[in-house]
Amino acid sequence: MKRTICLIILFTFIYNTPTSAQEWSEPVEISKLQGYNSSPDFYIANNGIIHVVWSYRLEANHRIIYYSKSEDDGLTWSEAENISQNNTLWMENPHVVVDSDNQVYISYDYNAGNPSDMLIFLRKYNGEYWSAIDTVSNGWYGSDHNSLYIDNNDRVYCFWYCDWYNNNGSMVYRYYENDQWSDFLIPYDNSDVYFIGKIVIDNNNILHCSAYHYYYYQSNNDLEIVYSTCQNNNWSNISQVSVDYKVWVGNDLAINNLNHPQIVWRQTLSNSAPPNDGSLYAFYDGTEWSDPEIIVEDPSDQAIVIDSYNKTHIIDNEKYEDGYRLIHYQKKNAEWIGEIINEDNYGNFLNKLINKGNLIYLVNGKVDTIYGASIVESNIVLRKYEVLVNTDEVLPVTFSKFAIFPNPISTQANIQYHLSNTVHIELKIYNLKGELIKTLVNKKQSTGTQRIKWNATDKNGKEVSPGLYLIRLKAGKQIMTRSVEVF
């Protein structure tokens, strides 16, 4: 695998016929609880019922776990149930799966306000009654960041991280089968740090695992994205996926119709101050991992899913001058295309995606009110997107041949692109904080080649400081972001 990161120029497309365009549905509120709702997870059972869990803040260190379900494909939701039943402590990080008999399993971190005493709890629901609380990590205090998965034979896997084990801590798991838990199992029993980001289980019950990793002699600054598999509790060797710089949260994985994995994550891209970061994507072709591709710079909360037509969809949250945009990326004609799902003041976080039939489901937290630096009001919401097999045929190119030169620059950048239609264009410069530096174009432009110059000044005509800046080109809901360095 090459050790260089390939910067992908993101062309923007726009529909000629809006009635044929694919659109995300309006968000449906699930939580319906005033206050801070966070950490959502969801699962769609074989009978079509959607099950959602999340954390709800009562006080600073007192949070409980709520559960709700929808029997009409997300249109209406049952009254939220408090399943953690704790009057004082912090419950966090809930997860949910459902077996073939429609029995619901929910895990969560217990006592998150006191890390040294944290445990992993689990409850089951048979449609009528909730089970007693089951302490999955019994005796392993300091356990947190659980995750929950179920295979095709109804074996339920619960993974978590235990801080005290073997110097640096370790990933531990158990599986639940035939009404009993297995022994405690450790994927890689050494002093390296290995922490699960996402697991997908294929039709052969092979676990495909995307994880964070660094060696025992390294530090958190050396964190990388790695991939491995597990079958019958036999773990493969670890393959490194990310390169160059430290990775961040946003690690998500999906598998295509050949059971080949694809991973998206957030990673630092440079040594600039503040550091620039981006959404990176890589895929496994059956032999080796591809070079990571930069989909967009300055994002957060990445998520990935592959639809029933084997097309890749990536979601992230991106800053702009008036707040945040929730963006949906697809690859068309070998280029990544971004489409704006939502624009608001505070953004959408902790995105989770599931494909079922011809629909993609997106559940996330949507922030409504912030006071100072604290979230006061947020809701858990659901959106849906219908997948059309002939999407490529209804997306004519609006602009192409995008180029920025020279790059880096000292005094002037030349920006060039070709328009195939007359369309309203916004071309803006941002810093890495998402602040608007200058608007270069905000008007309709005609068919043909457009050439714009930026003389490295802000909207007041003052020279900008050396560093990285983002150039964003927007037409309708479609958007592209690319960086330019000023020295």
Side-chain angles (χ1 to χ4, degrees):
M1 184 179 72
K2 296 179 181 178
R3 305 288 294 182
T4 57
I5 294 180
C6 303
L7 178 60
I8 298 300
I9 299 173
L10 306 178
F11 294 129
T12 297
F13 292 72
I14 194 165
Y15 294 100
N16 279 347
T17 53
T19 57
S20 67
Q22 294 169 284
E23 297 284 345
W24 285 88
S25 66
E26 291 298 314
V28 175
E29 184 178 337
I30 299 170
S31 47
K32 299 175 183 175
L33 299 167
Q34 289 186 336
Y36 182 36
N37 299 273
S38 183
S39 303
D41 191 32
F42 76 115
Y43 193 93
I44 304 176
N46 291 334
N47 61 5
I49 295 177
I50 307 173
H51 303 263
V52 178
V53 289
W54 68 95
S55 168
Y56 178 70
R57 182 177 65 197
L58 291 172
E59 296 177 354
N61 289 312
H62 182 200
R63 302 188 188 189
I64 56 180
I65 304 302
Y66 273 105
Y67 161 80
S68 182
K69 66 180 180 180
S70 173
E71 299 182 3
D72 55 9
D73 204 34
L75 296 177
T76 61
W77 292 86
S78 66
E79 183 178 351
E81 294 183 65
N82 174 7
I83 68 158
S84 53
Q85 299 295 326
N86 188 283
N87 296 323
T88 58
L89 300 179
W90 185 339
M91 311 294 126
E92 193 57 83
N93 194 32
H95 294 281
V96 58
V97 297
V98 183
D99 67 20
S100 59
D101 292 325
N102 297 313
Q103 181 165 243
V104 180
Y105 301 76
I106 297 174
S107 62
Y108 55 94
D109 296 353
Y110 166 83
N111 200 7
N114 188 357
S116 62
D117 288 336
M118 288 177 68
L119 290 167
I120 309 304
F121 281 3
L122 181 137
R123 295 191 75 182
K124 295 181 290 184
Y125 179 62
N126 64 8
E128 294 185 42
Y129 304 105
W130 288 97
S131 71
I133 292 175
D134 188 349
T135 306
V136 184
S137 64
N138 187 27
W140 290 64
Y141 291 94
S143 296
D144 58 14
H145 288 85
N146 84 92
S147 56
L148 198 65
Y149 305 96
I150 189 166
D151 72 11
N152 304 293
N153 297 328
D154 286 341
R155 175 186 280 186
V156 176
Y157 292 84
C158 185
F159 287 79
W160 67 89
Y161 192 78
C162 188
D163 289 330
W164 57 261
Y165 183 82
N166 210 354
N167 297 324
N168 283 330
S170 182
M171 182 60 62
V172 185
Y173 74 102
R174 303 176 79 182
Y175 60 86
Y176 186 81
E177 192 172 41
N178 299 323
D179 295 325
Q180 63 182 7
W181 285 102
S182 71
D183 293 333
F184 296 96
L185 301 167
I186 299 174
Y188 302 100
D189 195 358
N190 53 43
S191 295
D192 296 349
V193 169
Y194 177 89
F195 177 78
I196 291 292
K198 178 68 173 290
I199 291 177
V200 174
I201 302 176
D202 69 22
N203 49 10
N204 297 313
N205 281 332
I206 297 174
L207 281 64
H208 299 259
C209 309
S210 177
Y212 303 93
H213 173 265
Y214 61 83
Y215 293 101
Y216 72 92
Y217 53 84
Q218 296 178 317
S219 71
N220 188 51
N221 290 326
D222 301 296
L223 207 61
E224 59 191 15
I225 299 295
V226 298
Y227 167 79
S228 59
T229 61
C230 175
Q231 187 172 25
N232 297 323
N233 296 313
N234 294 314
W235 288 80
S236 71
N237 292 330
I238 291 173
S239 300
Q240 184 175 334
V241 179
S242 64
V243 297
D244 293 334
Y245 294 103
K246 178 182 177 179
V247 303
W248 299 82
V249 294
N251 183 355
D252 200 14
L253 175 146
I255 56 174
N256 65 15
N257 58 9
L258 296 175
N259 290 332
H260 292 164
Q262 302 178 18
I263 300 176
V264 64
W265 69 96
R266 181 181 178 186
Q267 179 176 320
T268 301
L269 302 177
S270 71
N271 291 319
S272 63
N276 191 27
D277 57 12
S279 286
L280 278 84
Y281 161 85
F283 65 89
Y284 184 72
D285 64 5
T287 303
E288 63 180 2
W289 281 92
S290 68
D291 293 332
E293 303 173 12
I294 301 173
I295 297 174
V296 66
E297 299 187 52
D298 204 32
S300 65
D301 296 277
Q302 294 79 0
I304 185 172
V305 73
I306 299 174
D307 68 30
S308 53
Y309 300 112
N310 210 37
K311 295 179 180 178
T312 302
H313 303 256
I314 293 172
I315 300 290
D316 67 22
N317 196 42
E318 301 173 15
K319 293 179 288 188
Y320 78 115
E321 70 269 27
D322 292 326
Y324 291 85
R325 289 172 172 145
L326 184 66
I327 307 290
H328 173 201
Y329 288 99
Q330 299 181 70
K331 211 169 194 180
K332 308 293 179 185
N333 302 323
E335 303 293 346
W336 289 102
I337 305 165
E339 180 177 358
I340 299 170
I341 301 173
N342 177 250
E343 293 179 326
D344 58 29
N345 292 333
Y346 305 118
N348 297 257
F349 58 95
L350 298 171
N351 299 310
K352 303 289 180 70
L353 291 167
I354 291 178
N355 172 243
K356 198 78 168 179
N358 67 335
L359 290 174
I360 293 175
Y361 297 78
L362 168 63
V363 167
N364 55 27
K366 186 177 185 301
V367 180
D368 294 321
T369 306
I370 289 181
Y371 182 76
S374 300
I375 297 174
V376 177
E377 292 282 341
S378 63
N379 294 296
I380 309 302
V381 299
L382 169 76
R383 296 177 175 89
K384 295 185 291 186
Y385 179 84
E386 185 177 7
V387 178
L388 302 177
V389 68
N390 63 342
T391 301
D392 292 335
E393 300 173 7
V394 298
L395 288 174
V397 175
T398 296
F399 63 84
S400 59
K401 299 178 181 177
F402 179 83
I404 301 173
F405 55 92
N407 191 3
I409 66 171
S410 59
T411 57
Q412 182 172 282
N414 300 292
I415 304 167
Q416 181 173 299
Y417 48 92
H418 182 84
L419 298 179
S420 58
N421 303 308
T422 298
V423 62
H424 189 275
I425 293 291
E426 292 182 11
L427 183 64
K428 297 181 178 182
I429 311 293
Y430 296 85
N431 63 20
L432 296 185
K433 297 179 180 180
E435 298 168 337
L436 178 64
I437 299 299
K438 193 169 189 174
T439 299
L440 301 179
V441 177
N442 186 12
K443 64 180 181 180
K444 277 190 175 182
Q445 291 185 316
S446 301
T447 302
T449 299
Q450 305 291 333
R451 296 180 180 88
I452 309 296
K453 296 183 185 297
W454 179 47
N455 59 1
T457 60
D458 63 17
K459 54 190 172 184
N460 298 316
K462 182 180 178 181
E463 290 184 2
V464 299
S465 301
L468 284 170
Y469 295 85
L470 303 178
I471 298 180
R472 284 186 177 156
L473 185 58
K474 178 177 176 288
K477 288 187 175 182
Q478 306 296 322
I479 193 166
M480 174 280 298
T481 302
R482 194 182 171 189
S483 66
V484 61
E485 182 179 359
V486 178
F487 64 88

